[in-house]
Amino acid sequence: NPIDFVPLSQTVFPGDTVAIAVGPEVPATNELVMALLKCFEDTQVSMADITVVVPYDGETAGRLKEAIASEFSSVGFQVHDSHDDEALAYLAASAAGDPIMVNRTLYDADIVIPVTTVRHDGMLGYNGGFDGLIPEYSDAATQLRVRGMIAAVGETDDSQRRGDIRETAWLLGIQLSVRVVPDPNGGVVSILAGMGVQLDVAAEEDFKQACSVSPEQAPLVIASVSGSAGADHWRSLANAAYAASQFVQANGVIVLLSDLNEPVGPATRFLADLDDESARRRVMESQESDQIAAMQLLRLRGVCRIYFCCGGRQDELEEIGIGFAADINEIENLSAEYDQCVVLHGADRVIPVIA
């Protein structure tokens, strides 16, 4: 029963080609996509005319590809490549005159169904139902441009980026979407399908009920990060730091618990040995994949001290002004210095509600 939309069986017809565009960090990806494909068995569409497209390569994509091949051998599978001109198509020019390039499979499909996760970002607020299409399924140049727009939020208006996303969805003819509402621990609260504003409102309401947290402020906040390792993990860490900062007292301490085992990114490295204004300028000019995370962490400098307890590289973290806690014993020693502590589970998905 899709929200504000007809059933799937009345949406697709014989001969239609279907592209299922999976967004980043969708929890229970395999189970969700397999269930969606099963729904198509009750329609008139040939399973051979369906292609599942994912934005990044990696373990999650590999597991999904194997699952689809084992149960739906005729369904296509594709990993988007933002550098492959043959795999991209020109859709239109944006209001600012920039070319809107999209994945060719999405461009050619008669029906495009985005499957995205509801998120609340410290810089952007709630994401819309079409976030996860742009820049994820665009070309490398657009990805750089959009990252710069996001990093500048708070200093510039975000309306152009949001307008580009809406225009892309409209030009692709997207009507039916699937929104996944996660819980703070990486599970799934609900899965909603439908169209437009009513779908977003329902998804955001479920997310608020599941993830809103309103603790007292404390001098120490310990926050776990539920986001998966990979392309967006530094972004998840930065978002968790932002959420934790809403509950830490001035000049307090935040400890982030994470399975991060990746080097500090090139944009984040500019936080080392630079004053805030110089670092901000270098980050904004960098156009690196970790640009958004670097800007979020930069904005927290001077507000609180941040420690990571993870598999990361201690020397690199300390160079950018982030402390390193090697294990739980060090966290216990740190906790002993304070008489009050707030613990946030899945802080990258928490919605801070200050009482």
Side-chain angles (χ1 to χ4, degrees):
N1 298 311
I3 297 171
D4 202 26
F5 201 69
V6 298
L8 181 64
S9 59
Q10 299 177 29
T11 305
V12 293
F13 301 94
D16 280 347
T17 55
V18 179
I20 298 173
V22 182
E25 294 197 356
V26 174
T29 305
N30 282 24
E31 294 84 351
L32 176 59
V33 173
M34 298 300 281
L36 182 55
L37 290 174
K38 287 183 182 295
C39 292
F40 277 97
E41 291 186 318
D42 297 327
T43 71
Q44 301 179 66
V45 168
S46 168
M47 300 304 287
D49 289 330
I50 301 175
T51 302
V52 175
V53 191
V54 296
Y56 313 120
D57 202 358
E59 291 184 10
T60 300
R63 289 194 297 267
L64 179 58
K65 181 179 181 179
E66 290 178 2
I68 293 172
S70 67
E71 193 163 344
F72 299 99
S73 58
S74 61
V75 171
F77 184 85
Q78 181 187 44
V79 177
H80 175 66
D81 185 349
S82 62
H83 296 278
D84 183 0
D85 291 341
E86 296 297 319
L88 295 161
Y90 174 79
L91 188 62
S94 70
D98 298 305
I100 298 176
M101 305 293 293
V102 296
N103 177 278
R104 185 171 292 278
T105 299
L106 273 57
Y107 177 85
D108 290 337
D110 297 307
I111 306 291
V112 177
I113 301 179
V115 179
T116 59
T117 303
V118 182
R119 291 181 293 180
H120 183 273
D121 190 285
M123 293 174 67
L124 304 175
Y126 286 102
N127 66 330
F130 302 130
D131 281 27
L133 286 177
I134 298 293
E136 284 78 6
Y137 286 106
S138 194
D139 62 313
T142 299
Q143 291 176 349
L144 291 174
R145 179 170 57 85
V146 172
R147 279 199 295 268
M149 290 180 183
I150 295 174
V153 168
E155 302 174 18
T156 62
D157 188 4
D158 191 37
S159 60
Q160 181 182 339
R161 183 189 68 88
R162 293 183 180 274
D164 287 354
I165 292 172
R166 288 193 298 270
E167 186 175 4
T168 299
W170 180 76
L171 291 169
L172 288 173
I174 295 175
Q175 295 181 312
L176 179 65
S177 299
V178 177
R179 305 290 325 266
V180 183
V181 181
D183 65 26
N185 298 314
V188 175
V189 173
S190 61
I191 300 171
L192 306 175
M195 178 180 178
V197 175
Q198 294 304 316
L199 173 63
D200 284 346
V201 168
E204 288 178 15
E205 185 59 35
D206 281 2
F207 191 54
K208 287 177 184 178
Q209 292 183 15
C211 298
S212 294
V213 178
S214 180
E216 296 292 331
Q217 289 195 323
L220 173 65
V221 177
I222 299 175
S224 67
V225 182
S226 59
S228 59
D232 283 338
H233 198 58
W234 270 98
R235 179 80 179 275
S236 296
L237 281 167
N239 208 42
Y242 168 81
S245 73
Q246 303 303 294
F247 302 123
V248 73
Q249 293 174 357
N251 301 313
V253 173
I254 293 171
V255 179
L256 296 178
L257 309 179
S258 164
D259 59 1
L260 176 74
N261 192 20
E262 301 172 15
V264 172
T268 308
R269 289 182 187 276
F270 290 129
L271 274 61
D273 301 323
L274 286 174
D275 62 85
D276 286 359
E277 179 55 32
S278 298
R280 187 198 68 80
R281 185 175 64 254
R282 295 293 294 277
V283 170
M284 290 300 297
E285 293 172 350
S286 68
Q287 294 189 328
E288 298 287 352
S289 60
D290 63 321
Q291 181 185 36
I292 300 168
M295 185 59 73
Q296 286 179 294
L297 292 172
L298 177 60
R299 290 174 180 174
L300 293 178
R301 278 210 315 208
V303 176
C304 57
R305 289 183 291 153
I306 300 176
Y307 288 80
F308 281 4
C309 182
C310 62
R313 306 178 186 185
Q314 180 175 357
D315 55 341
E316 292 186 352
L317 292 173
E318 291 178 343
E319 284 178 1
I320 63 172
I322 293 177
F324 185 83
D327 52 37
I328 195 67
N329 291 327
E330 291 195 16
I331 296 177
E332 290 177 350
N333 293 335
L334 185 63
S335 300
E337 301 177 18
Y338 301 94
D339 59 0
Q340 188 181 7
C341 174
V342 166
V343 177
L344 293 175
H345 297 286
D348 52 312
R349 291 175 174 152
V350 158
I351 306 172
V353 179
I354 307 302

